[in-house]
């Protein structure tokens, strides 16, 4: 898993998220491999420094209020495939780990 830390056992609401320091370095290389489809995504990932597990398979990256998702970048790579939610400016706002089964919402 590219992101360490305790994962929730249920779907958390935005107010219940526990934010932690996020190291974006494991995510820099993957967007470079998909640069033709998502130019500059590696640079935008480098700016992400806080994250919170939203549910077992999804990490939120936008600590502000509710952020809309304009596009999802699917970064396929053997082993751990990712769906990265992007806002209107192309900034990553969340990462879904596609190889993990989602936890149930309570």
């Amino acid at each position: 898993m590219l992101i360490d830390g305790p994962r929730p056992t249920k779907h958390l609401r935005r107010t219940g998220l526990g934010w932690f320091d996020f190291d974006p370095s494991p995510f820099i290389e993957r967007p470079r491999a998909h640069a033709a489809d998502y130019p500059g995504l590696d640079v935008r990932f480098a700016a992400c420094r806080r994250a919170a597990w939203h549910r077992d398979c999804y990490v939120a990256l936008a600590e502000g209020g509710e952020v809309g998702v304009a596009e999802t970048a699917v970064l396929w790579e053997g082993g751990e495939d990712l769906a990265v939610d992007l806002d209107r400016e192309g900034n990553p706002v969340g990462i879904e780990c596609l190889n993990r089964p989602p936890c149930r919402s309570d």
Side-chain angles (χ1 to χ4, degrees):
M1 182 70 186
L2 294 171
I3 306 168
D4 293 325
R7 294 175 190 90
T9 57
K10 64 179 185 174
H11 184 97
L12 299 175
R13 303 284 180 237
R14 205 100 168 107
T15 57
L17 299 179
W19 294 92
F20 57 88
D21 291 334
F22 175 72
D23 176 14
S25 59
F27 295 94
I28 304 303
E29 218 34 62
R30 192 171 305 200
R32 285 182 185 152
H34 297 270
D37 295 322
Y38 307 104
L41 184 55
D42 57 336
V43 174
R44 289 189 292 278
F45 255 120
C48 298
R49 297 293 177 183
R50 301 281 293 158
W53 284 102
H54 199 276
R55 56 186 182 273
D56 190 42
C57 61
Y58 190 85
V59 176
L61 297 174
E63 194 169 350
E66 292 294 323
V67 177
V69 175
E71 180 180 7
T72 300
V74 179
L75 306 180
W76 299 104
E77 187 175 302
E80 187 141 36
D81 301 324
L82 304 174
V84 181
D85 289 337
L86 307 173
D87 66 12
R88 280 177 258 173
E89 288 79 37
N91 298 311
V93 296
I95 304 168
E96 183 169 2
C97 305
L98 298 176
N99 299 75
R100 294 183 61 82
C103 66
R104 296 180 188 191
S105 295
D106 287 344

